[in-house]
Amino acid sequence: MSEDAIRLRSVTRRYGSDGTSVTALDEVSIAFPRGTFTAVMGPSGSGKSTLLQCAAGLDRPTSGSVTVGGTELTGLSETGLTLLRRERIGFVFQAFNLLPSLTAEQNVALPLRLAGRRPRRDRVREVLRQVGLGDRIRHRPAEMSGGQQQRVALARALITRPEVLFCDEPTGALDSRSSREVLALLRGMVEREGHTVVMVSHDPVAASCADRVVFLVDGRVHGELAGASAEDIAARMATLEVVPC
């Protein structure tokens, strides 16, 4: 089995026709090793979200290849991509995307039901306990704080035991205390469970929880930092966001 959970090779993603095309990713080659936590940062429009979408099989590159655990995504049909995302990839977004009429327990079980699988109640409750919500299983989203709702979304992503967990600004809508709680959960999943986490973020404090930070500028990888502090990450971002006069 490959040591890399995700590998991109010379990935380019263009949008639009030749005359008005925009290059969101430009010959990006990068690997995300198993059991690691990587943050992806860069100025607005740098290609962060496009990188995540291509790596997760949500979008198809214009050229290049994406491999998930040894499976090449380029040749998969739409049905094949759907099955891969459903069975091997988890997603957590800034918006919690919980169904308001369902309890926490029912929201977590939803991916399995949509896949035609019968969720085991003990497994659903186990995952909710893992994110600190064992006493909130019957609460609906309106009865929970933003941090608790994001933890339900995290439990929902974990219920299928994904190989990779993709997070797009998972703390963007949270206060500082809730952000710390969610980031601590992500860090713990890497250290204790061996999960692979790839997180897009604009927040140096959030990114400092990762093993490494990869920087994008104009659709290209522009270096990385390993084990960096929030101050070091912020300083690097400041140099990337300087606009020439």
Side-chain angles (χ1 to χ4, degrees):
M1 183 176 290
S2 171
E3 294 182 358
D4 294 328
I6 303 282
R7 179 175 285 276
L8 284 71
R9 295 180 177 87
S10 302
V11 168
T12 295
R13 183 63 172 103
R14 296 189 185 93
Y15 298 97
S17 59
D18 291 341
T20 58
S21 66
V22 174
T23 301
L25 294 178
D26 189 3
E27 293 285 323
V28 171
S29 294
I30 189 171
F32 301 95
R34 293 180 183 278
T36 62
F37 187 170
T38 302
V40 180
M41 301 189 74
S44 178
S46 62
K48 302 184 297 295
S49 292
T50 304
L51 174 66
L52 183 147
Q53 291 163 7
C54 288
L58 291 169
D59 194 7
R60 290 185 182 272
T62 305
S63 62
S65 68
V66 179
T67 304
V68 175
T71 300
E72 170 61 53
L73 271 56
T74 309
L76 293 180
S77 65
E78 288 302 320
T79 299
L81 283 173
T82 298
L83 291 174
L84 180 135
R85 292 192 300 265
R86 180 185 294 167
E87 297 172 0
R88 300 171 61 182
I89 293 175
F91 299 97
V92 178
F93 300 101
Q94 180 174 339
F96 315 130
N97 296 322
L98 302 179
L99 293 184
S101 61
L102 300 184
T103 64
E105 185 176 29
Q106 292 167 335
N107 267 291
V108 171
L110 189 59
L112 296 177
R113 294 192 180 280
L114 292 174
R117 296 160 58 185
R118 184 174 181 177
R120 287 173 33 214
R121 178 172 292 181
D122 60 341
R123 168 62 182 162
V124 173
R125 294 185 174 184
E126 173 194 351
V127 176
L128 281 166
R129 284 194 297 271
Q130 287 177 357
V131 299
L133 293 176
D135 59 344
R136 294 288 190 273
I137 60 174
R138 292 188 176 86
H139 286 63
R140 289 179 170 79
E143 301 170 311
M144 293 183 283
S145 68
Q148 289 171 335
Q149 291 183 62
Q150 188 63 295
R151 282 187 275 164
V152 174
L154 185 54
R156 181 182 57 191
L158 294 173
I159 192 66
T160 59
R161 293 186 171 92
E163 294 178 26
V164 186
L165 182 63
F166 287 99
C167 305
D168 195 353
E169 301 284 4
T171 62
L174 304 179
D175 59 37
S176 58
R177 178 179 177 180
S178 297
S179 295
R180 289 194 298 270
E181 292 172 350
V182 169
L183 290 166
L185 285 168
L186 292 174
R187 182 73 255 172
M189 288 169 189
V190 174
E191 294 179 351
R192 293 190 297 272
E193 307 293 334
H195 285 284
T196 304
V197 176
V198 180
M199 177 182 72
V200 167
S201 180
H202 70 280
D203 182 2
V205 174
S208 69
C209 294
D211 300 309
R212 66 168 178 160
V213 183
V214 174
F215 298 94
L216 292 184
V217 177
D218 295 331
R220 296 182 177 180
V221 176
H222 203 276
E224 63 179 68
L225 293 174
S229 66
E231 291 76 15
D232 289 340
I233 296 168
R236 175 67 69 88
M237 280 295 296
T239 66
L240 301 180
E241 293 175 338
V242 170
V243 178
C245 296

